[in-house]
Amino acid sequence: MEKVKMESKDIIQNNIEKIGRLFPNVITEIKDEKGNITRAIDFELLKQELSDEIVEGTKERYLLTWPGKKEAIVLANTPTNKTLRPVKEDSLNWETTQNLFIEGDNLEVLKLLQESYLNKIKFIYIDPPYNTGKDFIYKDRFTVEKTKYAKKSGQVDQEGNRLFQNTEYNGRYHSDWLTMIYPRLKLARNLLSEDGVILISIDDNEIHNMRRICDEIFGERNFVANFIWRKSKGSGNDSKYLMVETEYILLYAKNIENVKFNNQVVDIDGKYKFKDEYYKERGGYNLEKLDRGSKGYVESLDFGIKAPDGTLIFPNNRREKYNDGWRWVWSKSKVEWGIKNGYIVFKKGKGNQWNVYCKNYAKVDNEGNPIVRTKLYRNHIGFEENILNIQANHEMKRLFEGAVFSYPKPTTLLKHLISMFYLDNEIILDFFAGSATTAHAVMQLNAEDGGNRKYIMIQLPEPCDENSEAYKAGYKTIAEIAKERIRRAGKKIKEETGADIDYGFRVYRVDSSNMKDVYYAPDKLSQNILDELESNIKEDRTSLDHLTQVMLEAGLELSLPIETKEICGKEVHFVAGNSLAACFDEDVGEELIKEIAKIKPLKAVFRDSSFSSCPDRINLEEIFKSISPDTQIKVL
Ligand SMILES: C[S@@+](CC[C@H](N)C(=O)[O-])C[C@H]1O[C@@H](n2cnc3c(N)ncnc32)[C@H](O)[C@@H]1O
């Protein structure tokens, strides 16, 4: 019996837990004054979370650290003034699609998506650079290839970042990689829904650090599995000592209590092999003895059952009632019901004695209720299933004439991972998209099961090596390969299945802000840029560019339907019906404002410079106040 505690709740531990829910990474272990190990807050890290400067400090505590960790936290928390610009010409079915392909550094993109996709993504898969020692990196990008590096060694890239090889010998082998991955995972966590999961491909090079870093960012308690994927059979020759045939996929939840697996439907024919007259409604069955000696004697479950020849049978082949530890597993009334309804079978054993069995049917439980029999997924992949890395190269070769991309994952792997969860209508995010295997797998699964899963792919426009097959085939960047793959894969799936699914995608590209510097730092204004004041918006930007920036800031998903209408001779955009109305034309007149207000949009955005004078702007507010007082008005 539980004892009355006679003391108040441990408020401190309670508070530590509360902070841990917000910042799982600041939870650590220290020695208390009695020398016991206890959970505590790492105040240095918490301070770092709340500061945009690097905070210094040392104290012995349990933590994963490396030179650059504080910088990584600052990197995650520093806002970006970049934006996304729509690229309609690269998109497919722009008007109707709900899929996105975003070109750019995922650090910037993840920051830009924070408002629109906060707590909205149920499934993230990433296949980041594994830090194999062959990666050539610069700044925090792990993208530059060996040959390219060899050519450029000692030089700087267009943005002035110095390139270096990330080998063990430079002493920053793990640190640079950790600094790269840490802020991205931190930002990704914010996007996960409360029942969301993240799956991360990784191999022996960084599995230990990836696990520690995920424990820190997602919380150790939210670790769900480390899948071992047997990616090759008999052909793993990556190591000189052993045949390395496996790699890993780590699975973490935003909150482990909310994770729901879409468990596999059991192969009902193998296990339930017998058939009777009820086969159509109950499926096949197997037999299980009705008595048990391991569950403890229960007097009421020790009774005689009449065999077909009239003899009375008791548990453990007894002919009468007494306590030898054995009993039936069904009650007397249930046995009577079972005999009447064909759930009980009598069979003679070797010693010519009667044995009593109950039937376990595939499609009903032992009370006759319909059920779907499922089993848990295993924590390994590819041992039984035919999910091998080699398929990935074949897939690419079937879509393209040559090997245009190194190290893609097979779609079978992605299909397997995605199928583990209920994701119909959900968004699947991959922010190290590579050749967009994830998008391909999403389309294929939707075509097979009629699902409506949507995807967001993020991929750096990493240049293809000039000597590569991809470059020779006309693809300048990996993002170009990925977009073309989605187009080709979609076409193939449509031809093969005829499925009526979303094959399109909207393309967005990271670019500098639509606003001039003066917009962000008006105090730094000097006389010689006064002429720039005429407009704080860059001249080369379109109204769709502005709309995108406004949507991101307003927290609207980029896949929402956009309608553009001409009202009073001006272009007006509407997002998701009346969620947002935006007009970026100059000289917006009273008549147009009234027309827009009549639609009662939730938000309305105009260009600041459209209003030649202050009274005009006051007028705008007055019109909305009288026609649509709930509309939130903003100006660019
Ligand atoms: C291992 S590959 C992913 C392969 C992918 N799973 C597939 O099946 O094609 C990793 C990809 O991440 C991309 N990448 C690396 N750093 C990036 C960054 N900062 N932002 C976006 N993509 C990045 C690389 O260009 C590379 O194509």
Side-chain angles (χ1 to χ4, degrees):
M1 211 177 280
E2 216 180 348
K3 264 190 163 174
V4 180
K5 277 204 178 89
M6 299 295 285
E7 60 184 17
S8 67
K9 254 177 118 178
D10 188 339
I11 295 174
I12 291 180
Q13 282 303 323
N14 214 3
N15 286 343
I16 289 175
E17 227 152 78
K18 278 185 203 158
I19 291 179
R21 281 190 193 279
L22 281 177
F23 304 103
N25 57 327
V26 306
I27 301 293
T28 185
E29 291 169 13
I30 53 161
K31 267 192 185 162
D32 66 12
E33 57 285 3
K34 290 181 199 144
N36 300 322
I37 298 287
T38 177
R39 270 152 49 91
I41 299 285
D42 184 333
F43 280 102
E44 293 302 328
L45 265 190
L46 185 59
K47 261 198 262 172
Q48 192 61 75
E49 283 294 352
L50 306 174
S51 165
D52 49 11
E53 302 289 326
I54 289 178
V55 179
E56 297 301 341
T58 50
K59 187 173 189 304
E60 197 170 68
R61 60 208 187 262
Y62 173 76
L63 85 166
L64 165 69
T65 194
W66 66 92
K69 182 170 185 180
K70 289 182 175 178
E71 180 196 327
I73 297 175
V74 173
L75 212 55
N77 293 342
T78 315
T80 176
N81 58 11
K82 296 250 162 84
T83 191
L84 295 180
R85 297 180 69 189
V87 191
K88 263 191 160 178
E89 58 280 17
D90 281 8
S91 309
L92 185 66
N93 307 336
W94 172 273
E95 307 296 338
T96 51
T97 186
Q98 293 189 289
N99 299 316
L100 301 179
F101 186 95
I102 306 176
E103 261 182 66
D105 183 341
N106 49 21
L107 185 68
E108 304 288 356
V109 181
L110 289 168
K111 285 181 185 179
L112 288 166
L113 299 185
Q114 292 290 301
E115 292 292 328
S116 301
Y117 293 92
L118 189 76
N119 297 333
K120 284 194 186 160
I121 313 264
K122 200 165 161 182
F123 184 99
I124 300 179
Y125 169 76
I126 54 164
D127 178 15
Y130 286 179
N131 205 12
T132 57
K134 293 177 205 136
D135 310 303
F136 285 86
I137 63 167
Y138 61 102
K139 213 176 142 196
D140 72 338
R141 289 191 200 164
F142 277 56
T143 55
V144 182
E145 291 163 20
K146 195 172 177 175
T147 45
K148 209 159 216 126
Y149 173 77
K151 269 192 233 150
K152 288 189 177 177
S153 188
Q155 299 177 8
V156 287
D157 74 355
Q158 296 137 323
E159 287 164 25
N161 300 310
R162 197 168 56 82
L163 295 161
F164 63 92
Q165 185 177 17
N166 198 32
T167 68
E168 291 167 81
Y169 309 107
N170 71 6
R172 290 163 65 84
Y173 183 63
H174 296 290
S175 303
D176 294 313
W177 184 85
L178 285 162
T179 306
M180 181 280 292
I181 203 74
Y182 189 91
R184 287 163 172 87
L185 289 177
K186 243 176 146 285
L187 290 162
R189 180 178 180 268
N190 300 339
L191 302 186
L192 280 180
S193 58
E194 278 310 302
D195 56 355
V197 289
I198 181 163
L199 292 100
I200 305 170
S201 274
I202 199 74
D203 75 359
D204 288 320
N205 287 291
E206 292 293 351
I207 176 71
H208 52 305
N209 280 327
M210 187 61 107
R211 183 120 182 222
R212 288 289 311 271
I213 224 171
C214 287
D215 279 349
E216 192 171 309
I217 289 174
F218 299 100
E220 207 175 327
R221 61 185 284 278
N222 291 318
F223 166 80
V224 186
N226 177 12
F227 291 103
I228 297 161
W229 173 37
R230 187 180 184 185
K231 59 181 177 175
S232 61
K233 287 180 186 164
S235 60
N237 55 359
D238 293 357
S239 163
K240 59 180 175 180
Y241 304 111
L242 290 163
M243 210 183 257
V244 178
E245 294 186 336
T246 55
E247 59 177 68
Y248 314 96
I249 296 133
L250 282 176
L251 167 56
Y252 278 79
K254 174 81 166 263
N255 184 349
I256 197 158
E257 277 135 38
N258 300 332
V259 175
K260 240 175 113 189
F261 280 92
N262 176 12
N263 287 325
Q264 308 169 82
V265 176
V266 173
D267 165 19
I268 48 181
D269 286 335
K271 201 171 164 206
Y272 302 88
K273 55 183 180 219
F274 302 122
K275 284 186 186 177
D276 61 14
E277 67 268 39
Y278 307 106
Y279 181 71
K280 225 168 150 193
E281 80 216 44
R282 299 183 190 171
Y285 70 88
N286 59 34
L287 291 176
E288 192 186 336
K289 274 199 163 172
L290 200 65
D291 59 351
R292 292 278 187 290
S294 57
K295 289 195 157 189
Y297 185 74
V298 179
E299 202 260 328
S300 63
L301 295 177
D302 185 9
F303 51 87
I305 300 177
K306 207 185 255 178
D309 63 2
T311 45
L312 267 191
I313 321 156
F314 288 81
N316 197 22
N317 302 118
R318 275 187 272 114
R319 304 300 296 269
E320 58 193 43
K321 178 168 176 159
Y322 61 87
N323 182 354
D324 65 348
W326 283 69
R327 45 99 147 185
W328 301 119
V329 286
W330 286 13
S331 68
K332 196 163 186 199
S333 58
K334 191 161 173 188
V335 169
E336 280 161 12
W337 171 88
I339 293 172
K340 208 162 128 201
N341 292 287
Y343 281 79
I344 296 277
V345 174
F346 296 91
K347 278 176 169 258
K348 282 221 162 155
K350 279 189 190 137
N352 208 29
Q353 85 288 4
W354 285 106
N355 289 322
V356 188
Y357 295 87
C358 64
K359 293 179 183 172
N360 292 317
Y361 285 100
K363 296 194 207 164
V364 291
D365 65 13
N366 62 24
E367 284 171 353
N369 306 309
I371 48 162
V372 178
R373 292 199 186 268
T374 57
K375 69 173 179 196
L376 298 180
Y377 280 98
R378 296 189 167 94
N379 73 338
H380 51 80
I381 300 170
F383 288 82
E384 285 105 27
E385 312 89 349
N386 194 27
I387 299 180
L388 297 171
N389 225 355
I390 187 103
Q391 296 161 353
N393 295 329
H394 293 160
E395 273 170 353
M396 285 301 273
K397 276 190 191 152
R398 255 178 267 133
L399 286 176
F400 295 86
E401 284 65 49
V404 293
F405 185 78
S406 315
Y407 308 118
K409 291 283 182 282
T411 48
T412 43
L413 175 68
L414 267 300
K415 278 170 69 182
H416 182 77
L417 299 175
I418 295 168
S419 305
M420 284 185 189
F421 301 93
Y422 296 97
L423 296 171
D424 201 13
N425 278 313
E426 299 291 339
I427 301 168
I428 288 162
L429 167 66
D430 182 343
F431 56 88
F432 284 99
S435 65
T437 306
T438 306
H440 187 162
V442 166
M443 286 192 289
Q444 215 158 305
L445 266 181
N446 284 347
E448 281 167 20
D449 65 11
N452 186 28
R453 304 168 189 87
K454 301 162 255 259
Y455 62 77
I456 301 178
M457 296 293 110
I458 305 175
Q459 173 57 34
L460 197 72
E462 180 184 335
C464 296
D465 190 287
E466 281 166 32
N467 298 319
S468 66
E469 276 195 48
Y471 192 88
K472 286 177 197 154
Y475 302 105
K476 300 271 179 306
T477 67
I478 292 178
E480 279 181 26
I481 300 173
K483 285 179 284 182
E484 186 56 20
R485 183 202 186 153
I486 303 177
R487 287 185 205 108
R488 291 186 185 202
K491 197 161 165 263
K492 187 162 178 278
I493 294 168
K494 197 171 183 183
E495 276 164 16
E496 285 172 2
T497 65
D500 184 19
I501 58 161
D502 184 356
Y503 294 104
F505 56 98
R506 282 185 183 173
V507 178
Y508 288 90
R509 193 172 289 150
V510 174
D511 207 329
S512 61
S513 166
N514 297 330
M515 314 311 282
K516 290 179 185 166
D517 290 346
V518 39
Y519 181 84
Y520 297 102
D523 50 327
K524 303 233 168 77
L525 214 57
S526 66
Q527 275 296 326
N528 54 3
I529 57 161
L530 257 182
D531 50 337
E532 287 202 8
L533 259 181
E534 212 177 298
S535 167
N536 50 17
I537 295 173
K538 288 180 187 154
E539 280 73 25
D540 66 330
R541 303 302 160 106
T542 66
S543 64
L544 215 50
D545 289 331
H546 301 315
L547 186 68
T548 306
Q549 192 159 5
V550 168
M551 282 170 77
L552 288 171
E553 211 182 296
L556 294 171
E557 292 177 22
L558 293 178
S559 57
L560 288 172
I562 300 168
E563 209 185 340
T564 305
K565 292 182 187 166
E566 203 186 287
I567 305 177
C568 306
K570 305 281 178 201
E571 194 184 46
V572 187
H573 302 286
F574 293 92
V575 178
N578 73 342
S579 295
L580 173 78
C583 178
F584 304 108
D585 284 354
E586 296 285 359
D587 304 321
V588 168
E590 205 176 299
E591 204 190 330
L592 172 62
I593 296 171
K594 277 184 186 159
E595 288 304 313
I596 295 176
K598 275 188 215 158
I599 295 164
K600 298 192 189 305
L602 298 177
K603 287 193 173 85
V605 185
F606 300 92
R607 196 170 170 154
D608 195 19
S609 56
S610 309
F611 306 97
S612 37
S613 65
C614 201
D616 281 350
R617 224 193 293 166
I618 293 167
N619 200 17
L620 163 82
E621 280 170 23
E622 288 308 316
I623 293 170
F624 268 96
K625 232 184 242 168
S626 70
I627 302 177
S628 179
D630 293 334
T631 299
Q632 217 186 333
I633 313 163
K634 288 209 167 175
V635 286
L636 268 193

